[in-house]
Amino acid sequence: MAKQDAEKIAREFRRDQVIQMKLAGATERAIAVSLEVSPATVHKDVQYVLGKLAEKNEGKVAKIRQ
């Protein structure tokens, strides 16, 4: 259980780093090199975070559309 928690924390930390670097203007390839992960992992992380943001803000978007 502790190993799974550590992996989850590491994954969330990496996703945060990916988004911060992406917002700073880094390419997915550059982020991958910097974090020593594959470009596919970086892309999946970006998509995951964007999806979570969309879910979180769905209600706000619906209100604005009304």
Side-chain angles (χ1 to χ4, degrees), residues 9-66:
I9 290 168
R11 185 171 47 248
E12 291 301 318
F13 181 72
R14 185 192 69 235
R15 286 176 177 157
D16 185 57
Q17 289 179 302
V18 166
I19 292 303
Q20 292 303 317
M21 293 172 81
K22 187 75 171 159
L23 288 171
T27 65
E28 290 183 3
R29 184 174 301 281
I31 295 168
V33 169
S34 177
L35 298 180
E36 298 180 347
V37 297
S38 73
T41 297
V42 172
H43 183 76
K44 288 177 188 175
D45 285 347
V46 170
Q47 295 305 308
Y48 176 84
V49 172
L50 291 176
K52 286 294 184 186
L53 284 171
E55 287 175 13
K56 180 179 177 183
N57 292 301
E58 188 173 347
K60 294 176 188 174
V61 171
K63 273 188 170 182
I64 290 170
R65 288 182 178 155
Q66 290 177 349

Side-chain angles (χ1 to χ4, degrees), residues 1-12:
M1 183 82 126
K3 182 179 178 182
Q4 289 175 336
D5 290 341
E7 289 172 356
K8 182 177 179 181
I9 290 168
R11 185 171 47 248
E12 291 301 318

